[in-house]
mmCIF file of all heavy atoms in Angstrom:
data_model
loop_
_atom_site.group_PDB
_atom_site.id
_atom_site.type_symbol
_atom_site.label_atom_id
_atom_site.label_comp_id
_atom_site.label_asym_id
_atom_site.label_seq_id
_atom_site.Cartn_x
_atom_site.Cartn_y
_atom_site.Cartn_z
ATOM 1 N N ARG A 306 -38.540 -26.594 -29.673
ATOM 2 C CA ARG A 306 -37.856 -25.627 -30.546
ATOM 3 C C ARG A 306 -36.389 -25.502 -30.138
ATOM 4 O O ARG A 306 -35.501 -25.401 -30.981
ATOM 5 C CB ARG A 306 -38.563 -24.277 -30.460
ATOM 6 C CG ARG A 306 -38.126 -23.277 -31.530
ATOM 7 C CD ARG A 306 -39.002 -22.032 -31.501
ATOM 8 N NE ARG A 306 -40.366 -22.339 -31.905
ATOM 9 C CZ ARG A 306 -41.409 -22.342 -31.097
ATOM 10 N NH1 ARG A 306 -41.250 -22.057 -29.811
ATOM 11 N NH2 ARG A 306 -42.607 -22.622 -31.541
ATOM 12 N N TRP A 307 -36.120 -25.538 -28.843
ATOM 13 C CA TRP A 307 -34.737 -25.470 -28.344
ATOM 14 C C TRP A 307 -33.962 -26.720 -28.776
ATOM 15 O O TRP A 307 -32.804 -26.633 -29.187
ATOM 16 C CB TRP A 307 -34.754 -25.361 -26.822
ATOM 17 C CG TRP A 307 -33.410 -25.103 -26.207
ATOM 18 C CD1 TRP A 307 -32.846 -23.879 -25.960
ATOM 19 C CD2 TRP A 307 -32.461 -26.084 -25.761
ATOM 20 N NE1 TRP A 307 -31.599 -24.036 -25.390
ATOM 21 C CE2 TRP A 307 -31.338 -25.378 -25.256
ATOM 22 C CE3 TRP A 307 -32.452 -27.473 -25.739
ATOM 23 C CZ2 TRP A 307 -30.221 -26.038 -24.737
ATOM 24 C CZ3 TRP A 307 -31.338 -28.130 -25.231
ATOM 25 C CH2 TRP A 307 -30.238 -27.414 -24.737
ATOM 26 N N LEU A 308 -34.593 -27.867 -28.710
ATOM 27 C CA LEU A 308 -33.940 -29.114 -29.116
ATOM 28 C C LEU A 308 -33.665 -29.134 -30.619
ATOM 29 O O LEU A 308 -32.609 -29.604 -31.063
ATOM 30 C CB LEU A 308 -34.816 -30.314 -28.735
ATOM 31 C CG LEU A 308 -34.878 -30.635 -27.237
ATOM 32 C CD1 LEU A 308 -36.024 -31.605 -26.946
ATOM 33 C CD2 LEU A 308 -33.556 -31.212 -26.740
ATOM 34 N N VAL A 309 -34.586 -28.612 -31.414
ATOM 35 C CA VAL A 309 -34.382 -28.558 -32.862
ATOM 36 C C VAL A 309 -33.190 -27.657 -33.197
ATOM 37 O O VAL A 309 -32.442 -27.926 -34.136
ATOM 38 C CB VAL A 309 -35.659 -28.088 -33.583
ATOM 39 C CG1 VAL A 309 -35.398 -27.853 -35.070
ATOM 40 C CG2 VAL A 309 -36.770 -29.124 -33.414
ATOM 41 N N GLN A 310 -32.999 -26.622 -32.407
ATOM 42 C CA GLN A 310 -31.832 -25.760 -32.621
ATOM 43 C C GLN A 310 -30.539 -26.540 -32.383
ATOM 44 O O GLN A 310 -29.528 -26.308 -33.055
ATOM 45 C CB GLN A 310 -31.895 -24.543 -31.688
ATOM 46 C CG GLN A 310 -30.806 -23.513 -31.942
ATOM 47 C CD GLN A 310 -30.795 -23.006 -33.372
ATOM 48 O OE1 GLN A 310 -31.841 -22.832 -33.990
ATOM 49 N NE2 GLN A 310 -29.601 -22.767 -33.912
ATOM 50 N N ARG A 311 -30.551 -27.477 -31.448
ATOM 51 C CA ARG A 311 -29.374 -28.332 -31.231
ATOM 52 C C ARG A 311 -29.138 -29.221 -32.460
ATOM 53 O O ARG A 311 -28.000 -29.501 -32.816
ATOM 54 C CB ARG A 311 -29.561 -29.218 -29.994
ATOM 55 C CG ARG A 311 -29.959 -28.508 -28.716
ATOM 56 C CD ARG A 311 -28.844 -27.658 -28.101
ATOM 57 N NE ARG A 311 -28.581 -26.395 -28.746
ATOM 58 C CZ ARG A 311 -29.354 -25.307 -28.662
ATOM 59 N NH1 ARG A 311 -30.471 -25.329 -27.972
ATOM 60 N NH2 ARG A 311 -28.997 -24.186 -29.263
ATOM 61 N N VAL A 312 -30.214 -29.645 -33.101
ATOM 62 C CA VAL A 312 -30.089 -30.434 -34.330
ATOM 63 C C VAL A 312 -29.429 -29.592 -35.416
ATOM 64 O O VAL A 312 -28.528 -30.062 -36.124
ATOM 65 C CB VAL A 312 -31.481 -30.927 -34.807
ATOM 66 C CG1 VAL A 312 -31.378 -31.582 -36.179
ATOM 67 C CG2 VAL A 312 -32.063 -31.904 -33.797
ATOM 68 N N ARG A 313 -29.864 -28.347 -35.541
ATOM 69 C CA ARG A 313 -29.279 -27.467 -36.572
ATOM 70 C C ARG A 313 -27.801 -27.208 -36.293
ATOM 71 O O ARG A 313 -26.988 -27.142 -37.211
ATOM 72 C CB ARG A 313 -30.066 -26.161 -36.631
ATOM 73 C CG ARG A 313 -31.491 -26.398 -37.139
ATOM 74 C CD ARG A 313 -32.251 -25.129 -37.403
ATOM 75 N NE ARG A 313 -33.535 -25.454 -38.007
ATOM 76 C CZ ARG A 313 -34.723 -25.130 -37.514
ATOM 77 N NH1 ARG A 313 -34.792 -24.455 -36.378
ATOM 78 N NH2 ARG A 313 -35.827 -25.461 -38.139
ATOM 79 N N GLU A 314 -27.466 -27.083 -35.017
ATOM 80 C CA GLU A 314 -26.057 -26.903 -34.659
ATOM 81 C C GLU A 314 -25.255 -28.154 -35.010
ATOM 82 O O GLU A 314 -24.089 -28.060 -35.412
ATOM 83 C CB GLU A 314 -25.929 -26.587 -33.172
ATOM 84 C CG GLU A 314 -26.426 -25.196 -32.811
ATOM 85 C CD GLU A 314 -26.437 -24.956 -31.314
ATOM 86 O OE1 GLU A 314 -26.099 -25.895 -30.552
ATOM 87 O OE2 GLU A 314 -26.799 -23.839 -30.898
ATOM 88 N N TYR A 315 -25.881 -29.309 -34.864
ATOM 89 C CA TYR A 315 -25.207 -30.565 -35.227
ATOM 90 C C TYR A 315 -24.831 -30.545 -36.703
ATOM 91 O O TYR A 315 -23.709 -30.894 -37.084
ATOM 92 C CB TYR A 315 -26.124 -31.756 -34.937
ATOM 93 C CG TYR A 315 -25.724 -33.024 -35.651
ATOM 94 C CD1 TYR A 315 -24.692 -33.824 -35.173
ATOM 95 C CD2 TYR A 315 -26.375 -33.415 -36.829
ATOM 96 C CE1 TYR A 315 -24.312 -34.983 -35.836
ATOM 97 C CE2 TYR A 315 -26.001 -34.573 -37.498
ATOM 98 C CZ TYR A 315 -24.967 -35.349 -36.997
ATOM 99 O OH TYR A 315 -24.590 -36.480 -37.670
ATOM 100 N N PHE A 316 -25.763 -30.138 -37.550
ATOM 101 C CA PHE A 316 -25.470 -30.101 -38.980
ATOM 102 C C PHE A 316 -24.399 -29.054 -39.295
ATOM 103 O O PHE A 316 -23.602 -29.229 -40.216
ATOM 104 C CB PHE A 316 -26.736 -29.823 -39.787
ATOM 105 C CG PHE A 316 -27.639 -31.021 -39.902
ATOM 106 C CD1 PHE A 316 -28.884 -31.023 -39.301
ATOM 107 C CD2 PHE A 316 -27.227 -32.146 -40.600
ATOM 108 C CE1 PHE A 316 -29.716 -32.136 -39.409
ATOM 109 C CE2 PHE A 316 -28.045 -33.262 -40.702
ATOM 110 C CZ PHE A 316 -29.301 -33.246 -40.112
ATOM 111 N N GLU A 317 -24.389 -27.959 -38.541
ATOM 112 C CA GLU A 317 -23.373 -26.936 -38.770
ATOM 113 C C GLU A 317 -21.983 -27.431 -38.370
ATOM 114 O O GLU A 317 -20.978 -27.050 -38.968
ATOM 115 C CB GLU A 317 -23.728 -25.668 -37.979
ATOM 116 C CG GLU A 317 -24.954 -24.940 -38.534
ATOM 117 C CD GLU A 317 -25.444 -23.848 -37.606
ATOM 118 O OE1 GLU A 317 -24.791 -23.622 -36.556
ATOM 119 O OE2 GLU A 317 -26.475 -23.225 -37.915
ATOM 120 N N ARG A 318 -21.920 -28.280 -37.339
ATOM 121 C CA ARG A 318 -20.625 -28.808 -36.870
ATOM 122 C C ARG A 318 -20.163 -30.006 -37.683
ATOM 123 O O ARG A 318 -18.984 -30.291 -37.759
ATOM 124 C CB ARG A 318 -20.730 -29.261 -35.408
ATOM 125 C CG ARG A 318 -20.887 -28.162 -34.392
ATOM 126 C CD ARG A 318 -20.723 -28.735 -32.994
ATOM 127 N NE ARG A 318 -21.586 -29.888 -32.768
ATOM 128 C CZ ARG A 318 -22.833 -29.810 -32.304
ATOM 129 N NH1 ARG A 318 -23.358 -28.635 -32.044
ATOM 130 N NH2 ARG A 318 -23.558 -30.897 -32.119
ATOM 131 N N ARG A 319 -21.101 -30.690 -38.270
ATOM 132 C CA ARG A 319 -20.792 -31.963 -38.925
ATOM 133 C C ARG A 319 -19.786 -31.775 -40.055
ATOM 134 O O ARG A 319 -19.928 -30.900 -40.903
ATOM 135 C CB ARG A 319 -22.086 -32.567 -39.473
ATOM 136 C CG ARG A 319 -21.930 -33.963 -40.030
ATOM 137 C CD ARG A 319 -23.278 -34.468 -40.511
ATOM 138 N NE ARG A 319 -23.191 -35.800 -41.066
ATOM 139 C CZ ARG A 319 -24.217 -36.430 -41.608
ATOM 140 N NH1 ARG A 319 -25.399 -35.842 -41.635
ATOM 141 N NH2 ARG A 319 -24.077 -37.640 -42.106
ATOM 142 N N LYS A 320 -18.781 -32.623 -40.064
ATOM 143 C CA LYS A 320 -17.756 -32.544 -41.105
ATOM 144 C C LYS A 320 -18.323 -32.992 -42.451
ATOM 145 O O LYS A 320 -19.326 -33.687 -42.533
ATOM 146 C CB LYS A 320 -16.567 -33.427 -40.737
ATOM 147 C CG LYS A 320 -15.786 -32.963 -39.518
ATOM 148 C CD LYS A 320 -14.629 -33.916 -39.248
ATOM 149 C CE LYS A 320 -13.830 -33.485 -38.026
ATOM 150 N NZ LYS A 320 -12.713 -34.413 -37.740
ATOM 151 N N ILE A 321 -17.635 -32.587 -43.505
ATOM 152 C CA ILE A 321 -17.984 -33.039 -44.849
ATOM 153 C C ILE A 321 -17.586 -34.507 -44.973
ATOM 154 O O ILE A 321 -16.462 -34.876 -44.651
ATOM 155 C CB ILE A 321 -17.258 -32.198 -45.912
ATOM 156 C CG1 ILE A 321 -17.719 -30.734 -45.821
ATOM 157 C CG2 ILE A 321 -17.488 -32.754 -47.307
ATOM 158 C CD1 ILE A 321 -16.848 -29.779 -46.587
ATOM 159 N N GLU A 322 -18.514 -35.320 -45.409
ATOM 160 C CA GLU A 322 -18.243 -36.744 -45.557
ATOM 161 C C GLU A 322 -18.224 -37.114 -47.031
ATOM 162 O O GLU A 322 -19.142 -36.767 -47.779
ATOM 163 C CB GLU A 322 -19.307 -37.561 -44.818
ATOM 164 C CG GLU A 322 -19.313 -37.304 -43.309
ATOM 165 C CD GLU A 322 -20.422 -38.041 -42.593
ATOM 166 O OE1 GLU A 322 -21.151 -38.805 -43.274
ATOM 167 O OE2 GLU A 322 -20.563 -37.862 -41.378
ATOM 168 N N VAL A 323 -17.171 -37.792 -47.456
ATOM 169 C CA VAL A 323 -17.047 -38.187 -48.856
ATOM 170 C C VAL A 323 -16.308 -39.506 -48.943
ATOM 171 O O VAL A 323 -15.372 -39.756 -48.174
ATOM 172 C CB VAL A 323 -16.316 -37.090 -49.676
ATOM 173 C CG1 VAL A 323 -14.919 -36.850 -49.145
ATOM 174 C CG2 VAL A 323 -16.289 -37.432 -51.153
ATOM 175 N N GLU A 324 -16.759 -40.371 -49.827
ATOM 176 C CA GLU A 324 -16.060 -41.626 -50.066
ATOM 177 C C GLU A 324 -14.968 -41.386 -51.101
ATOM 178 O O GLU A 324 -15.219 -40.743 -52.127
ATOM 179 C CB GLU A 324 -17.028 -42.700 -50.573
ATOM 180 C CG GLU A 324 -18.053 -43.137 -49.538
ATOM 181 C CD GLU A 324 -18.934 -44.267 -50.066
ATOM 182 O OE1 GLU A 324 -18.608 -44.818 -51.141
ATOM 183 O OE2 GLU A 324 -19.939 -44.578 -49.407
ATOM 184 N N ILE A 325 -13.783 -41.867 -50.818
ATOM 185 C CA ILE A 325 -12.681 -41.734 -51.768
ATOM 186 C C ILE A 325 -12.263 -43.124 -52.221
ATOM 187 O O ILE A 325 -11.712 -43.906 -51.451
ATOM 188 C CB ILE A 325 -11.493 -40.974 -51.147
ATOM 189 C CG1 ILE A 325 -11.906 -39.523 -50.881
ATOM 190 C CG2 ILE A 325 -10.269 -41.033 -52.062
ATOM 191 C CD1 ILE A 325 -10.809 -38.649 -50.347
ATOM 192 N N SER A 326 -12.581 -43.416 -53.469
ATOM 193 C CA SER A 326 -12.214 -44.708 -54.053
ATOM 194 C C SER A 326 -10.985 -44.505 -54.938
ATOM 195 O O SER A 326 -10.998 -43.678 -55.863
ATOM 196 C CB SER A 326 -13.371 -45.259 -54.885
ATOM 197 O OG SER A 326 -12.949 -46.397 -55.617
ATOM 198 N N LEU A 327 -9.947 -45.259 -54.657
ATOM 199 C CA LEU A 327 -8.714 -45.135 -55.430
ATOM 200 C C LEU A 327 -8.867 -45.715 -56.831
ATOM 201 O O LEU A 327 -7.951 -45.600 -57.647
ATOM 202 C CB LEU A 327 -7.561 -45.822 -54.686
ATOM 203 C CG LEU A 327 -7.253 -45.216 -53.308
ATOM 204 C CD1 LEU A 327 -6.139 -45.995 -52.621
ATOM 205 C CD2 LEU A 327 -6.878 -43.746 -53.425
#
Side-chain angles (χ1 to χ4, degrees):
R306 192 172 293 110
W307 188 89
L308 288 166
V309 173
Q310 186 56 37
R311 308 289 76 74
V312 172
R313 293 188 174 122
E314 289 174 358
Y315 162 80
F316 284 114
E317 290 169 3
R318 290 190 308 271
R319 187 179 180 183
K320 293 180 180 179
I321 297 166
E322 297 176 3
V323 60
E324 293 184 10
I325 293 183
S326 171
L327 299 178

